[in-house]
Amino acid sequence: LVIVPRETTRSPEDFHQLLVEQGVTVLNQTPSAFKPLMRVACDSADDLALRYVIFGGEALDVAALQPWFERFGEDCDNLINMYGITETTVHVTYRPIRFADTQQPGSPIGAAIPDLSMYVLDADFNPVAKGCTGELHVGHAGLARGYHNRASLTAERFVPDPFSSEGGRLYRTGDLARYRGQEVIEYVGRIDHQVKIRGFRIELGEIEARLQEHAAVREVLVLDIDGAGGKQLAAYLIAQDPSTDHAALRDTLKQHLKANLPDYMVPTHFLVLEQWPLTANGKLDRKALPKPDAS
């Protein structure tokens, strides 16, 4: 076990050097923390001893892993996506990521690990058809008992399992998913990431997908924020070219969105960042994102 100093986790160059020097074979990391490390590894001539890179903690942008396959080969099989939540302590699924996955939209999270069951259900607890979106429900032995001293929340989230004859329970994750194939479930997003602005219901992920497809954008996040006139949309971007003129990029992306989406889905604000702020756990720190100028 290699204990990584906090300062090292904040420097992808130092982190990469540590992996090389220590001959690290298994790396657990959040996708947000892995992206800058991946860029250093792909530009380096040093070989890594990694047998597995295990992702968890937040949604994985699979398309962003293309540089890894370009550097280490399309047959590379050491990238593993594991969807997990605290209420299952902690992993639920297992999915080796292949190069072909980077060519498709969405984030495949695979199939349930042996001590858990998983269902994609509609609001009436009926299984949804292949390709249709529903809420992800998790059950079986790995499930927690509930929330400590919060009986009402436990009753709301831990519900009777309609597929169990032994009085089992399911946990309502609040995550949207769909079946890509018989054994592959694809993560879609959070139910609570659907927002309502000026009477219109908006999927933030749809805006992010449209921005991500533009060649000038490397990474993107869209949030709803409180503005002078009520709720507004803000797009946070990392450009492919750091020297890109920010004003020109904003205008280009606004026109790109207006050609593909209705006006109410075009963000009011576009903020270009050099890198994402991260929490101590290596996750994206949304609270640390800069606030747009209200004017």
Side-chain angles (χ1 to χ4, degrees):
L1 178 64
V2 180
I3 305 298
V4 184
R6 175 179 168 81
E7 296 75 19
T8 303
T9 67
R10 294 299 182 264
S11 168
E13 291 80 12
D14 293 344
F15 203 152
H16 178 260
Q17 189 61 33
L18 178 107
L19 297 179
V20 173
E21 292 176 353
Q22 297 288 337
V24 172
T25 56
V26 178
L27 171 65
N28 271 278
Q29 208 168 32
T30 62
S32 292
F34 181 73
K35 285 178 181 178
L37 173 65
M38 177 179 66
R39 289 192 289 274
V40 174
C42 291
D43 292 338
S44 173
D46 293 323
D47 288 328
L48 295 170
L50 290 171
R51 291 188 293 111
Y52 296 111
V53 179
I54 300 171
F55 299 111
E58 58 187 3
L60 175 64
D61 176 11
V62 179
L65 299 175
Q66 285 192 36
W68 185 269
F69 288 99
E70 292 168 1
R71 167 67 173 83
F72 298 103
E74 293 187 8
D75 295 330
C76 173
D77 62 354
N78 61 1
L79 302 181
I80 310 295
N81 193 21
M82 296 191 78
Y83 165 83
I85 45 180
T86 303
E87 291 80 2
T88 60
T89 59
V90 65
H91 287 129
V92 178
T93 70
Y94 172 95
R95 163 73 182 194
I97 300 298
R98 309 295 187 210
F99 176 75
D101 292 319
T102 68
Q103 309 300 302
Q104 301 186 47
S107 180
I109 59 175
I113 60 178
D115 72 336
L116 290 166
S117 58
M118 194 163 56
Y119 305 93
V120 182
L121 307 177
D122 63 19
D124 297 317
F125 296 99
N126 297 309
V128 300
K130 178 182 175 181
C132 296
T133 300
E135 183 178 3
L136 196 58
H137 292 66
V138 180
H140 214 56
L143 203 60
R145 295 181 180 180
Y147 297 106
H148 184 56
N149 289 338
R150 303 188 70 182
S152 61
L153 182 60
T154 296
E156 176 187 342
R157 306 302 296 181
F158 291 83
V159 297
D161 183 351
F163 310 104
S164 171
S165 59
E166 302 173 355
R169 298 173 307 148
L170 294 178
Y171 176 71
R172 300 180 58 187
T173 65
D175 289 324
L176 298 173
R178 57 175 164 253
Y179 283 97
R180 177 188 289 182
Q182 187 172 0
E183 290 291 325
V184 181
I185 289 180
E186 185 177 85
Y187 178 84
V188 175
R190 288 288 301 169
I191 289 177
D192 51 14
H193 283 182
Q194 187 183 71
V195 301
K196 201 169 186 179
I197 296 180
R198 299 193 302 278
F200 295 104
R201 194 169 295 279
I202 298 171
E203 291 282 358
L204 299 181
E206 187 174 353
I207 306 173
E208 292 172 349
R210 287 296 185 181
L211 288 170
Q212 190 73 65
E213 68 188 13
H214 197 281
V217 176
R218 192 172 77 201
E219 298 172 39
V220 62
L221 173 71
V222 178
L223 299 177
D224 63 315
I225 62 169
D226 293 318
K231 287 285 186 181
Q232 297 178 332
L233 295 175
Y236 294 86
L237 311 158
I238 296 179
Q240 286 286 7
D241 182 358
S243 63
T244 299
D245 179 81
H246 292 184
L249 178 60
R250 292 188 190 98
D251 291 341
T252 298
L253 294 178
K254 277 193 174 184
Q255 294 307 314
H256 171 70
L257 288 182
K258 287 180 177 179
N260 293 280
L261 296 174
D263 286 344
Y264 63 83
M265 294 183 71
V266 177
T268 305
H269 308 279
F270 289 79
L271 293 88
V272 184
L273 309 178
E274 292 184 4
Q275 61 185 14
W276 299 119
L278 302 180
T279 67
N281 293 328
K283 297 182 182 182
L284 175 64
D285 189 351
R286 297 183 178 223
K287 294 180 180 178
L289 291 168
K291 301 298 182 184
D293 184 345
S295 62

